[in-house]
Amino acid sequence: MADTDGEEIEDLPPSAKLVFKVLEYDGPLTQKQIVEESMLSARTVRYALERLEGIGIVDEDIYFADARQSLYRLTEPVTADGGVDDSQASEDACCAE
């Protein structure tokens, strides 16, 4: 996870934390879908996504169903405290044998 100025998830405003949780639970979403799920204003969601992208937690991709929109996803499984979520990796390691 790339930090620009030492900022992490716990340093972000509550709106950015909510957007992070929405993406964590509901997977890749467009900005419009995030607005609907979080019940935040479009402007607030845009700002939250900028902050999350700035610290390298969120990636923006092309939404192939409608190229005018972007699809936002978490770059890697992270926990709310800013650490990497190793639960899936440990499950994969134990079951690969």
Side-chain angles (χ1 to χ4, degrees):
M1 177 168 42
D3 293 69
T4 54
D5 56 355
E7 190 173 47
E8 295 184 11
I9 293 174
E10 61 262 2
D11 301 325
L12 295 175
S15 58
K17 292 175 186 176
L18 177 59
V19 169
F20 169 78
K21 281 301 194 184
V22 167
L23 287 171
E24 183 179 44
Y25 290 129
D26 295 329
L29 298 170
T30 65
Q31 182 179 328
K32 185 176 181 180
Q33 292 168 328
I34 296 169
V35 167
E36 291 171 2
E37 287 294 319
S38 66
M39 293 193 269
L40 295 171
S41 70
R43 182 177 180 175
T44 301
V45 169
R46 266 194 313 274
Y47 177 71
L49 287 169
E50 285 176 17
R51 296 288 298 266
L52 291 167
E53 283 181 282
I55 61 173
I57 293 175
V58 170
D59 254 349
E60 180 179 359
D61 292 324
I62 296 170
Y63 182 50
F64 291 109
D66 183 355
R68 297 171 294 177
Q69 298 183 48
S70 295
L71 193 65
Y72 297 91
R73 71 178 72 237
L74 297 179
T75 56
E76 60 187 44
V78 292
T79 59
D81 64 356
V84 175
D85 183 13
D86 292 331
S87 62
Q88 186 62 38
S90 62
E91 286 178 22
D92 292 343
C94 80
C95 300
E97 297 175 12

